[in-house]
Amino acid sequence: MTQAPSPATADSAAALAAVRAEIARACRDAGRDVASVTLVAVSKTFPAEAIKPAIAAGQRVFGENRVQEAKAKWPPLMAKYQDLHPGIELHLIGPLQSNKAKEAVALFDAIHSVDRASLCEALGKEIAKQRRAPLLFAEINTGAEPQKAGVLPQDADAFLTACRETYGLTMSGLMCIPPLDEAPGPHFALTAKIAKRNGLKLLSMGMSADFATAISLGATHVRIGSAIFGGRT
Ligand SMILES: *Cc1c(COP(=O)(O)O)cnc(C)c1O
């Protein structure tokens, strides 16, 4: 007997397909290969039940913003799906406290929020100890917003040099979150410019509302939550 999918199942799978189509369209418009953009499905606040349909629909890269939440939610999901749907990747997109570096290095395949020396030091130690090397993105506070994490644009070059030379980290890219009340394009362009002059290839930029713009400006990782899973309460 086949069971009709629940509305939630149908919704998130359909929303995921729509987002993928939008990503493909943005890539075509920008003359880019669709394989050059990784969709990070941001599942923060959503329970495992809401995530399963996305895994079943082929989504493999997921983003979480809190270590504790990810630690409770993902290992059981990964254990359950490693045979049927192998290759799930978990990305940390939210701020990371240095005292959680150990757990973060153990759990995540990428960390998008590297933003200060004390964290670099903690990550360097854990990466060496655990022999695990998650992809590392430095977060740039392009809008210089006081309430937001991230390195100021004018400090980015020195920070990236310290990441490499002082802490021995292999940095792969940059991440930014543009101010809510500004056009995102200039913030994405600034992030791309800083990455280019520092020889970094990956750009984590673009969320539900602005990922097409981000792709037009070179995003390699778009972090999309609400457009796939619905609104968060
Ligand atoms: C929540 C979050 C997202 C996803 O935001 P949506 O607008 O739901 O797509 C992306 N990046 C970061 C850093 C987030 O915290």
Side-chain angles (χ1 to χ4, degrees):
M1 195 176 82
T2 54
Q3 230 183 348
S6 71
T9 301
D11 284 352
S12 72
L16 181 64
V19 165
R20 286 200 186 123
E22 282 297 312
I23 290 172
R25 187 214 307 255
C27 286
R28 262 197 315 277
D29 288 351
R32 297 183 55 193
D33 184 346
V34 70
S36 68
V37 177
T38 297
L39 167 58
V40 181
V42 177
S43 50
K44 66 186 184 193
T45 77
F46 289 96
E49 282 311 315
I51 297 169
K52 285 174 188 168
I55 297 174
Q59 181 61 30
R60 290 293 172 272
V61 183
F62 291 87
E64 290 283 340
N65 71 333
R66 294 177 61 226
V67 175
Q68 293 314 310
E69 180 183 341
K71 214 180 132 185
K73 207 156 79 180
W74 280 97
L77 263 174
M78 286 176 172
K80 178 162 183 193
Y81 283 106
Q82 66 189 1
D83 295 332
L84 196 54
H85 302 295
I88 290 174
E89 261 186 46
L90 202 54
H91 290 214
L92 179 65
I93 61 169
L96 177 59
Q97 292 172 284
S98 301
N99 64 9
K100 297 218 172 82
K102 180 179 177 177
E103 291 168 297
V105 168
L107 185 61
F108 292 98
D109 300 289
I111 296 172
H112 293 234
S113 50
V114 178
D115 68 348
R116 60 199 190 282
S118 56
L119 177 59
C120 290
E121 186 176 1
L123 286 173
K125 282 184 187 155
E126 284 304 326
I127 287 167
K129 202 191 279 179
Q130 298 185 35
R131 298 174 181 275
R132 254 182 76 84
L135 280 182
L136 299 178
F137 296 76
E139 179 173 351
I140 308 297
N141 186 355
T142 55
E145 296 173 277
Q147 82 285 7
K148 216 171 245 175
V151 179
L152 293 174
Q154 65 267 29
D155 298 334
D157 295 355
F159 179 72
L160 290 163
T161 301
C163 285
R164 287 190 276 247
E165 295 182 359
T166 309
Y167 303 106
L169 299 178
T170 300
M171 302 302 293
S172 293
L174 300 181
M175 181 270 238
C176 77
I177 309 170
L180 267 178
D181 56 351
E182 289 182 29
H187 295 274
F188 296 149
L190 174 60
T191 304
K193 186 172 140 189
I194 296 170
K196 189 168 186 205
R197 72 170 180 244
N198 284 281
L200 299 176
K201 294 216 163 57
L202 303 184
L203 290 169
S204 167
M205 51 191 208
M207 311 184 1
S208 290
D210 56 18
F211 65 87
T213 304
I215 288 170
S216 77
L217 291 164
T220 62
H221 291 69
V222 291
R223 310 176 310 268
I224 302 179
S226 49
I228 297 169
F229 296 107
R232 292 177 295 269
T233 46

